Amino acid sequence: MRAAIAVIAEAGYLKASFSRIAKHAGLSSTGMISYHFAGKDDLLAACVTEIEEITGAFMQPRIDAAVGHVAQLRAFVEANVELVGEHATELRALIDLVKNAGSRSDAVDGRLALFEEHFRTGQAAGVFGAFDVRITALALTTGLDAVVATAAANPPEPAELTRIGRELADLYVRATAPGSAGGTA
Amino acid sequence: MRAAIAVIAEAGYLKASFSRIAKHAGLSSTGMISYHFAGKDDLLAACVTEIEEITGAFMQPRIDAAVGHVAQLRAFVEANVELVGEHATELRALIDLVKNAGSRSDAVDGRLALFEEHFRTGQAAGVFGAFDVRITALALTTGLDAVVATAAANPPEPAELTRIGRELADLYVRATAPGSAGGTA
Amino acid sequence: MRAAIAVIAEAGYLKASFSRIAKHAGLSSTGMISYHFAGKDDLLAACVTEIEEITGAFMQPRIDAAVGHVAQLRAFVEANVELVGEHATELRALIDLVKNAGSRSDAVDGRLALFEEHFRTGQAAGVFGAFDVRITALALTTGLDAVVATAAANPPEPAELTRIGRELADLYVRATAPGSAGGTA
Amino acid sequence: MRAAIAVIAEAGYLKASFSRIAKHAGLSSTGMISYHFAGKDDLLAACVTEIEEITGAFMQPRIDAAVGHVAQLRAFVEANVELVGEHATELRALIDLVKNAGSRSDAVDGRLALFEEHFRTGQAAGVFGAFDVRITALALTTGLDAVVATAAANPPEPAELTRIGRELADLYVRATAPGSAGGTA
DNA sequence: AATGAATGAGGGTTCATTCAT
DNA sequence: CATGAATGAACCCTCATTCAT
């Protein structure tokens, strides 16, 4: 399964065939994969779960440590970007998996809903502007993914990573801030 | 080639095989496709070009009509979202193609560079904040794509489309505006 | 498709894989079979149809030439056995296909129904005894198949074939004749 | 081994893989099956033997109780059909095994030889007609199998079972009776 | 007696591509 | 411009068998 993740990260979802995974795992045939997993979907779902545990273990504490809706948004973004420093491979795989989801996308929908809810309660608390939460959540989560994916493609140094995270967080904080924004001109 | 676009939009990049495209085009064999196009990459590249001409014809005038960096940013976003009303199929195909680009992505890189340059000159003119142009361009273009893709998946009414475009443009204008940005809290 | 029939006849239904059929047909890969037929079931159904046309062309005239229910029963049995002389391969294949039917068995059910109906009208005409038509039809058709299959396995000389047909027809005529039947001792 | 019989009866010979049998037996691996049996043929042969002991225990006494060749033929047929009431599963499996015999068919050949010999001695005793014993034995045994198989597929009530047995026995007694049968018309 | 992992072969199917017609 | 047949590779999956533990 580590092999599957590695192959997806390196060769991409499309090329992640059982053959390639088996070879990468040092197996002589694809039979063993079918033996351990009910099918390709099963394997991929297992990968998603595994990776999410890893990323969750990294990100959750940092998010919980933040106080207030804005700080938590910032923490989420920064933690996600910093994650590239420690789990670039897993992130590359995860993003590719999520992109070609089709069905296995409980995760992605979950995060979207989480953002929406976060924005909604933040708006009620007056710390976010009066934007459409669905559209905003969608745009910002996918934008975040793209930045993470790009960073994970060839990971920069930690300092640069921190800078990217802060830049993006700034961007998102600005975008969601209340105040005198967005007249038609 | 219209058939190819239709198939990609309906069945997705992954399932867009020559057989399926041929059937959709009323051809009884895949031979003709190989005859007209050098290979699969060639066909897909041609599709991208074709679609871009269509979208360009729609968007370019609206962008050109806008005056000033901010208004042009807004025009780009709104035009792109409104495009869903007239070319949902093409947009679905294009976004799927771009997602699974790999190589054919001159287009995507082009748009990214365009955004970066737009931000840079806007910053020089003092109408945008001092953000990192690369990160911002990346996050905003992909976020835009996601919103467009979601809208194109099952297109809403024109009025709703206009609203979505304005919401997203507002978000992006806020995100790129100069001023009192992103303190750590 | 002739290859498929030949392989089924020689190697049996179980071993009739696409590989074997392709090799026997002089094809270099199994792809062509999947190209011409929607699936294995499709191929096998086509074989059944093909064989039934062949056997029908041989048997039907002889059955039609017979007058009366008893003579027609005899004609059917004898024609079926004589068929071995000219189409042993096809018969072997057909019987193997029918044995492992599962679904494709319109044919087998058809013949069974035909026998039942023939017995029923014959009983009404008073030329057959008062036996249960379903049980009788079932037992006699499968018995016929077994004799044909055995003969087809290594076909005897025409004269012997004729003898076998007459013997079996005699047996069936006796079995279905009206009169002093089956006391418990 | 009981598991093997059950699986063959339910899923059919074709689908009776070691995996399925192991699962049905509550084993977590197929290893144990290969450990206990030399191979698949060995397992299947063992199943045949096992089932034949069961059926023999039921049928033999009833056959022995009958006096005279005709009565014994009747007893065999009726006992075999009645067996469905008590061992439908085993019968389904046995018939499937015998159908796809290939090699393991000592049993089936044995029964055939037994019938032939029974007919021969009966003919010598003058209680059977002058038919060809081989052809007759073949047709009647397979016909019997088909009726049993159909009954075993979804077993009817005991009374109906008795009726079927008697009907079939009547048929066979008639078919083998001596006398003025089978002129060419 | 039982497990779990591994193997190697074979299964049917789909694909992009080629080519004579 | 179009067809239809053919190729060779890759795909996911199932199988019987083996073996260390």
Side-chain angles (χ1 to χ4, degrees):
Chain A
M1 223 182 75
R2 261 164 274 161
I5 294 173
V7 168
I8 296 167
E10 284 162 26
Y13 175 91
L14 287 156
K15 302 288 186 61
S17 66
F18 276 20
S19 326
R20 244 177 276 260
I21 295 170
K23 189 185 299 175
H24 193 280
L27 294 169
S28 75
S29 101
T30 72
M32 273 315 290
I33 303 177
S34 290
Y35 172 75
H36 282 291
F37 300 92
K40 197 169 193 184
D41 286 10
D42 196 41
L43 167 60
L44 297 182
C47 287
V48 170
T49 304
E50 166 102 339
I51 298 175
E52 270 164 359
E53 277 172 24
I54 294 173
T55 63
F58 183 95
M59 291 179 60
Q60 205 57 52
R62 314 195 175 211
I63 296 166
D64 293 343
V67 177
H69 286 84
V70 175
Q72 277 180 354
L73 171 60
R74 172 177 298 279
F76 190 101
V77 171
E78 290 183 352
N80 206 344
V81 174
E82 297 235 21
L83 197 49
V84 171
E86 313 216 355
H87 296 288
T89 300
E90 286 82 355
L91 276 175
R92 250 176 297 158
L94 179 60
I95 289 173
D96 219 40
L97 281 166
V98 149
K99 219 169 51 181
N100 300 57
S103 57
R104 290 167 291 286
S105 67
D106 300 337
V108 99
D109 291 352
R111 194 185 48 164
L112 202 65
L114 193 107
F115 263 70
E116 285 189 38
E117 184 57 22
H118 187 74
F119 287 148
R120 223 183 319 266
T121 56
Q123 287 177 335
V127 299
F128 288 140
F131 49 80
D132 181 308
V133 295
R134 236 174 62 73
I135 296 169
T136 303
L138 181 56
L140 298 195
T141 52
T142 54
L144 171 56
D145 282 348
V147 170
V148 169
T150 301
N154 53 351
E157 302 190 357
E160 169 66 357
L161 224 39
T162 305
R163 206 204 102 240
I164 293 174
R166 192 165 43 230
E167 275 283 346
L168 195 63
D170 287 348
L171 187 76
Y172 283 10
V173 166
R174 253 178 282 137
T176 55
S180 61
T184 315
Chain B
M1 226 182 71
R2 261 164 276 162
I5 294 174
V7 167
I8 297 167
E10 284 162 27
Y13 176 91
L14 287 155
K15 301 286 186 64
S17 67
F18 277 18
S19 328
R20 247 176 277 258
I21 294 169
K23 188 187 299 175
H24 193 282
L27 292 171
S28 75
S29 148
T30 69
M32 278 314 293
I33 304 178
S34 290
Y35 174 76
H36 282 291
F37 299 92
K40 195 167 194 185
D41 285 10
D42 195 39
L43 167 60
L44 297 181
C47 287
V48 170
T49 305
E50 167 104 339
I51 298 174
E52 270 165 359
E53 278 172 24
I54 294 173
T55 63
F58 182 96
M59 290 179 62
Q60 204 57 53
R62 315 197 174 208
I63 296 166
D64 293 343
V67 177
H69 287 84
V70 175
Q72 278 181 355
L73 170 60
R74 171 176 298 281
F76 191 101
V77 171
E78 291 184 348
N80 206 344
V81 175
E82 298 235 18
L83 198 49
V84 171
E86 313 217 355
H87 297 289
T89 300
E90 287 83 357
L91 277 174
R92 248 178 296 158
L94 180 60
I95 290 173
D96 220 39
L97 282 166
V98 150
K99 220 169 51 182
N100 300 58
S103 58
R104 289 167 293 284
S105 66
D106 301 336
V108 102
D109 292 352
R111 194 183 50 165
L112 203 63
L114 193 107
F115 263 70
E116 285 188 38
E117 184 56 23
H118 187 76
F119 286 149
R120 218 176 330 257
T121 57
Q123 286 176 337
V127 300
F128 289 141
F131 48 81
D132 180 307
V133 294
R134 241 176 58 71
I135 296 169
T136 303
L138 181 56
L140 299 196
T141 51
T142 54
L144 171 56
D145 282 348
V147 170
V148 168
T150 301
N154 54 349
E157 303 190 359
E160 169 67 355
L161 223 40
T162 305
R163 205 205 104 240
I164 292 174
R166 194 167 40 232
E167 277 282 349
L168 195 62
D170 287 349
L171 188 75
Y172 284 11
V173 168
R174 250 179 284 137
T176 56
S180 61
T184 316
Chain C
M1 224 182 74
R2 261 163 274 162
I5 294 174
V7 168
I8 297 168
E10 284 163 26
Y13 176 91
L14 288 156
K15 301 289 186 61
S17 66
F18 275 20
S19 326
R20 243 176 277 258
I21 294 170
K23 188 185 299 174
H24 193 281
L27 294 170
S28 75
S29 103
T30 72
M32 272 315 289
I33 303 177
S34 290
Y35 172 76
H36 283 291
F37 299 92
K40 196 168 194 185
D41 286 10
D42 195 41
L43 168 61
L44 297 181
C47 287
V48 169
T49 303
E50 167 103 338
I51 298 174
E52 270 164 359
E53 277 172 23
I54 294 173
T55 63
F58 182 96
M59 290 179 62
Q60 204 58 53
R62 314 197 175 209
I63 296 166
D64 293 343
V67 177
H69 286 85
V70 175
Q72 278 182 354
L73 170 61
R74 173 177 296 279
F76 190 101
V77 171
E78 290 184 352
N80 207 343
V81 175
E82 297 234 20
L83 197 49
V84 171
E86 313 217 354
H87 296 289
T89 300
E90 286 82 355
L91 277 175
R92 250 178 296 158
L94 180 60
I95 290 174
D96 219 38
L97 281 167
V98 149
K99 221 167 51 180
N100 300 56
S103 58
R104 289 167 292 286
S105 69
D106 300 337
V108 103
D109 293 351
R111 194 184 50 165
L112 203 64
L114 193 110
F115 262 69
E116 286 188 37
E117 184 58 21
H118 187 76
F119 287 148
R120 221 179 324 262
T121 57
Q123 287 176 336
V127 300
F128 288 141
F131 48 80
D132 180 307
V133 295
R134 239 175 61 71
I135 297 169
T136 302
L138 181 58
L140 298 196
T141 52
T142 54
L144 171 56
D145 280 349
V147 170
V148 169
T150 301
N154 52 351
E157 303 192 357
E160 169 67 356
L161 224 41
T162 305
R163 205 204 104 239
I164 293 174
R166 192 166 43 229
E167 275 283 348
L168 195 63
D170 287 347
L171 188 75
Y172 283 10
V173 167
R174 251 177 282 137
T176 55
S180 59
T184 315
Chain D
M1 225 182 73
R2 259 165 277 162
I5 294 173
V7 168
I8 296 167
E10 283 163 27
Y13 176 91
L14 288 156
K15 301 287 186 62
S17 68
F18 277 19
S19 328
R20 248 177 275 261
I21 295 169
K23 187 186 301 175
H24 194 282
L27 293 171
S28 76
S29 147
T30 69
M32 277 316 291
I33 303 177
S34 290
Y35 174 76
H36 281 292
F37 299 92
K40 195 166 195 187
D41 286 9
D42 196 38
L43 167 61
L44 297 181
C47 287
V48 169
T49 305
E50 167 103 339
I51 299 175
E52 270 164 357
E53 277 172 24
I54 295 174
T55 63
F58 182 96
M59 290 178 61
Q60 205 57 52
R62 314 196 177 208
I63 296 165
D64 293 345
V67 177
H69 286 83
V70 174
Q72 277 182 354
L73 170 61
R74 171 176 299 280
F76 190 102
V77 170
E78 291 184 347
N80 205 344
V81 174
E82 297 236 19
L83 197 49
V84 172
E86 313 217 355
H87 296 289
T89 300
E90 286 83 355
L91 277 174
R92 249 177 298 158
L94 179 60
I95 289 172
D96 221 38
L97 282 166
V98 150
K99 219 169 52 181
N100 301 59
S103 57
R104 289 168 295 284
S105 66
D106 300 339
V108 99
D109 291 352
R111 192 183 51 165
L112 203 64
L114 193 108
F115 263 68
E116 284 188 40
E117 184 57 22
H118 187 75
F119 286 149
R120 219 179 327 260
T121 56
Q123 286 177 334
V127 299
F128 287 140
F131 49 80
D132 181 308
V133 293
R134 237 175 60 71
I135 297 169
T136 302
L138 181 57
L140 298 196
T141 51
T142 54
L144 172 56
D145 281 349
V147 170
V148 169
T150 301
N154 53 351
E157 303 190 358
E160 169 67 356
L161 224 40
T162 305
R163 205 204 104 240
I164 293 174
R166 192 164 44 228
E167 276 281 349
L168 196 63
D170 287 348
L171 188 76
Y172 284 11
V173 167
R174 251 178 285 137
T176 55
S180 61
T184 315

